[in-house]
Amino acid sequence: MYYIIIFLINFISPAEWINQMSNEVDLIEVALKTKNPKDVVLAFLVNSSKEKVQNATEQLVAEDATYMSLSFENKELEAIEPWCGVRKGRQIFIDTFSNVGTYWEVNDFQITELFGEGENVAVFGQFTYTSVEVGYKFTSPLAVWAKVQNGQITYFRFMEDTYLSARSFRKSGTWEVQNNGRTFTVGE
Protein backbone atom coordinates (compact mmCIF):
# COMPACT_ATOMS: atom_id res chain seq x y z
CA MET A 1 0.00 0.00 0.00
CA TYR A 2 2.87 2.39 0.79
CA TYR A 3 4.23 1.98 -2.74
CA ILE A 4 0.89 2.81 -4.36
CA ILE A 5 0.61 5.96 -2.27
CA ILE A 6 4.05 7.13 -3.40
CA PHE A 7 3.08 6.63 -7.05
CA LEU A 8 -0.16 8.56 -6.59
CA ILE A 9 1.25 11.40 -4.49
CA ASN A 10 4.30 11.98 -6.67
CA PHE A 11 2.62 11.18 -10.01
CA ILE A 12 5.55 9.04 -11.11
CA SER A 13 5.67 5.67 -12.81
CA PRO A 14 6.80 2.53 -10.97
CA ALA A 15 9.99 2.51 -13.08
CA GLU A 16 10.83 6.12 -12.13
CA TRP A 17 10.16 5.35 -8.46
CA ILE A 18 12.40 2.25 -8.57
CA ASN A 19 15.22 4.31 -10.08
CA GLN A 20 14.81 7.04 -7.45
CA MET A 21 14.68 4.53 -4.59
CA SER A 22 17.72 2.61 -5.78
CA ASN A 23 19.71 5.83 -5.73
CA GLU A 24 18.41 7.00 -2.35
CA VAL A 25 18.41 3.94 -0.12
CA ASP A 26 20.07 0.60 0.16
CA LEU A 27 17.30 -1.66 -1.11
CA ILE A 28 18.98 -4.76 0.33
CA GLU A 29 18.77 -3.18 3.76
CA VAL A 30 15.08 -2.44 3.23
CA ALA A 31 14.42 -6.01 2.04
CA LEU A 32 16.24 -7.55 5.00
CA LYS A 33 14.21 -5.40 7.35
CA THR A 34 10.77 -5.89 5.80
CA LYS A 35 11.18 -9.42 4.36
CA ASN A 36 8.42 -8.35 1.97
CA PRO A 37 8.63 -10.51 -1.17
CA LYS A 38 8.36 -7.51 -3.52
CA ASP A 39 11.14 -5.69 -1.63
CA VAL A 40 13.37 -8.79 -1.77
CA VAL A 41 12.97 -9.33 -5.52
CA LEU A 42 13.40 -5.63 -6.30
CA ALA A 43 16.54 -5.43 -4.16
CA PHE A 44 17.98 -8.48 -5.88
CA LEU A 45 17.32 -7.19 -9.41
CA VAL A 46 18.62 -3.70 -8.70
CA ASN A 47 21.79 -5.29 -7.32
CA SER A 48 22.25 -7.96 -10.02
CA SER A 49 25.19 -6.39 -11.86
CA LYS A 50 28.34 -8.51 -11.97
CA GLU A 51 29.91 -6.24 -9.34
CA LYS A 52 27.02 -6.52 -6.86
CA VAL A 53 25.31 -9.86 -7.46
CA GLN A 54 27.38 -11.96 -5.05
CA ASN A 55 26.48 -9.72 -2.10
CA ALA A 56 22.82 -9.58 -3.13
CA THR A 57 22.67 -13.36 -3.57
CA GLU A 58 24.30 -14.13 -0.23
CA GLN A 59 21.76 -11.94 1.56
CA LEU A 60 18.56 -12.45 -0.45
CA VAL A 61 18.67 -15.94 -2.00
CA ALA A 62 18.05 -19.18 -0.09
CA GLU A 63 20.92 -21.69 -0.17
CA ASP A 64 18.78 -24.28 -1.98
CA ALA A 65 16.91 -21.86 -4.28
CA THR A 66 15.86 -22.98 -7.74
CA TYR A 67 16.86 -20.89 -10.74
CA MET A 68 15.10 -21.48 -14.06
CA SER A 69 16.20 -19.56 -17.13
CA LEU A 70 14.68 -19.56 -20.62
CA SER A 71 13.80 -23.27 -20.83
CA PHE A 72 13.43 -26.31 -18.64
CA GLU A 73 16.06 -28.20 -20.63
CA ASN A 74 17.52 -27.40 -24.04
CA LYS A 75 21.07 -28.66 -24.61
CA GLU A 76 21.46 -26.68 -27.84
CA LEU A 77 20.48 -23.43 -26.12
CA GLU A 78 22.69 -24.29 -23.12
CA ALA A 79 25.67 -24.51 -25.49
CA ILE A 80 25.00 -20.89 -26.48
CA GLU A 81 23.88 -19.58 -23.08
CA PRO A 82 25.23 -21.91 -20.36
CA TRP A 83 22.91 -20.65 -17.61
CA CYS A 84 19.78 -21.92 -19.39
CA GLY A 85 17.70 -24.62 -17.79
CA VAL A 86 16.92 -25.45 -14.19
CA ARG A 87 19.61 -25.35 -11.50
CA LYS A 88 19.72 -25.25 -7.71
CA GLY A 89 21.74 -23.26 -5.23
CA ARG A 90 23.03 -19.74 -4.77
CA GLN A 91 26.02 -20.17 -7.05
CA ILE A 92 23.90 -20.34 -10.22
CA PHE A 93 22.49 -16.88 -9.40
CA ILE A 94 26.01 -15.48 -8.99
CA ASP A 95 27.34 -17.23 -12.10
CA THR A 96 24.38 -16.27 -14.29
CA PHE A 97 24.26 -12.59 -13.46
CA SER A 98 28.05 -12.29 -13.50
CA ASN A 99 28.15 -13.93 -16.94
CA VAL A 100 25.51 -11.57 -18.30
CA GLY A 101 27.97 -8.74 -17.63
CA THR A 102 30.73 -10.72 -19.34
CA TYR A 103 28.90 -11.97 -22.42
CA TRP A 104 27.09 -8.68 -23.03
CA GLU A 105 27.52 -5.00 -22.33
CA VAL A 106 24.43 -4.01 -20.35
CA ASN A 107 23.21 -0.86 -22.10
CA ASP A 108 19.90 -0.56 -20.24
CA PHE A 109 17.85 -2.54 -17.72
CA GLN A 110 14.37 -1.32 -16.82
CA ILE A 111 11.79 -2.69 -14.44
CA THR A 112 8.43 -1.33 -15.57
CA GLU A 113 6.06 -3.34 -13.39
CA LEU A 114 6.48 -5.28 -10.17
CA PHE A 115 3.62 -6.77 -8.20
CA GLY A 116 2.87 -9.74 -6.05
CA GLU A 117 0.58 -11.62 -3.78
CA GLY A 118 1.77 -13.68 -0.86
CA GLU A 119 5.10 -15.35 -1.67
CA ASN A 120 4.72 -14.79 -5.44
CA VAL A 121 6.24 -11.79 -7.23
CA ALA A 122 5.96 -10.92 -10.92
CA VAL A 123 8.30 -8.49 -12.64
CA PHE A 124 8.09 -7.12 -16.18
CA GLY A 125 10.46 -4.85 -18.00
CA GLN A 126 13.03 -4.73 -20.75
CA PHE A 127 16.76 -4.66 -21.27
CA THR A 128 19.15 -3.66 -24.02
CA TYR A 129 22.40 -5.60 -24.35
CA THR A 130 25.25 -5.61 -26.85
CA SER A 131 27.15 -8.87 -27.29
CA VAL A 132 30.81 -8.36 -26.44
CA GLU A 133 32.31 -10.55 -29.16
CA VAL A 134 29.93 -9.94 -32.08
CA GLY A 135 28.71 -6.42 -31.28
CA TYR A 136 25.04 -7.25 -31.90
CA LYS A 137 22.74 -4.91 -29.94
CA PHE A 138 19.20 -5.94 -29.07
CA THR A 139 16.31 -5.00 -26.80
CA SER A 140 14.27 -7.75 -25.18
CA PRO A 141 11.25 -7.84 -22.94
CA LEU A 142 11.80 -9.61 -19.63
CA ALA A 143 9.54 -11.40 -17.21
CA VAL A 144 10.40 -12.84 -13.81
CA TRP A 145 8.32 -15.04 -11.57
CA ALA A 146 9.84 -15.38 -8.13
CA LYS A 147 8.82 -17.00 -4.86
CA VAL A 148 10.06 -15.56 -1.59
CA GLN A 149 9.82 -17.24 1.80
CA ASN A 150 11.10 -15.76 5.06
CA GLY A 151 12.78 -12.90 3.20
CA GLN A 152 14.72 -15.12 0.77
CA ILE A 153 14.18 -15.99 -2.88
CA THR A 154 13.43 -19.71 -3.13
CA TYR A 155 12.41 -19.83 -6.81
CA PHE A 156 13.35 -17.53 -9.69
CA ARG A 157 12.21 -17.94 -13.31
CA PHE A 158 13.74 -15.48 -15.79
CA MET A 159 12.31 -15.21 -19.30
CA GLU A 160 13.41 -13.08 -22.24
CA ASP A 161 13.33 -13.10 -26.05
CA THR A 162 15.55 -16.15 -26.36
CA TYR A 163 15.82 -15.93 -30.12
CA LEU A 164 17.29 -12.40 -29.86
CA SER A 165 19.66 -13.20 -27.01
CA ALA A 166 21.03 -16.31 -28.76
CA ARG A 167 21.09 -14.41 -32.08
CA SER A 168 23.38 -11.83 -30.52
CA PHE A 169 26.21 -14.42 -30.63
CA ARG A 170 25.69 -15.57 -34.23
CA LYS A 171 28.64 -14.70 -36.47
CA SER A 172 27.21 -16.24 -39.62
CA GLY A 173 24.77 -18.78 -41.00
CA THR A 174 21.08 -19.05 -41.69
CA TRP A 175 18.17 -21.31 -40.81
CA GLU A 176 15.90 -22.85 -43.39
CA VAL A 177 12.52 -22.95 -41.69
CA GLN A 178 9.42 -24.88 -42.67
CA ASN A 179 6.09 -24.22 -40.98
CA ASN A 180 2.47 -23.73 -41.90
CA GLY A 181 3.06 -25.04 -45.42
CA ARG A 182 5.85 -22.62 -46.29
CA THR A 183 9.63 -22.72 -46.36
CA PHE A 184 11.82 -19.67 -45.80
CA THR A 185 15.25 -18.62 -44.60
CA VAL A 186 16.01 -16.45 -41.56
CA GLY A 187 19.21 -14.86 -40.39
CA GLU A 188 20.45 -13.32 -43.60
Side-chain angles (χ1 to χ4, degrees), residues 1-14 17-18 21 25 27 30-31 34-43 114-116:
M1 187 63 137
Y2 173 72
Y3 303 123
I4 294 169
I5 292 169
I6 287 176
F7 299 142
L8 293 175
I9 290 172
N10 293 321
F11 300 103
I12 62 173
S13 72
W17 179 78
I18 289 165
M21 287 300 292
V25 292
L27 292 179
V30 171
T34 68
K35 296 188 186 296
N36 178 297
K38 290 180 283 188
D39 293 344
V40 171
V41 173
L42 175 61
L114 183 147
F115 50 89

Side-chain angles (χ1 to χ4, degrees), residues 9 16 28 41-42 53 65 67 101 107 130 134-135 138 156 160 166 185:
I9 290 172
E16 290 172 312
I28 292 176
V41 173
L42 175 61
V53 71
Y67 181 84
N107 307 113
T130 302
V134 180
F138 68 98
F156 195 90
E160 65 190 43
T185 302

Side-chain angles (χ1 to χ4, degrees), residues 15 17-23 25-28 38-50 52-53 56 60 97 109 111 114:
W17 179 78
I18 289 165
N19 289 334
Q20 284 182 10
M21 287 300 292
S22 65
N23 292 330
V25 292
D26 182 352
L27 292 179
I28 292 176
K38 290 180 283 188
D39 293 344
V40 171
V41 173
L42 175 61
F44 177 78
L45 287 170
V46 167
N47 290 282
S48 64
S49 68
K50 66 180 175 180
K52 297 180 181 181
V53 71
L60 300 172
F97 286 91
F109 187 93
I111 298 169
L114 183 147

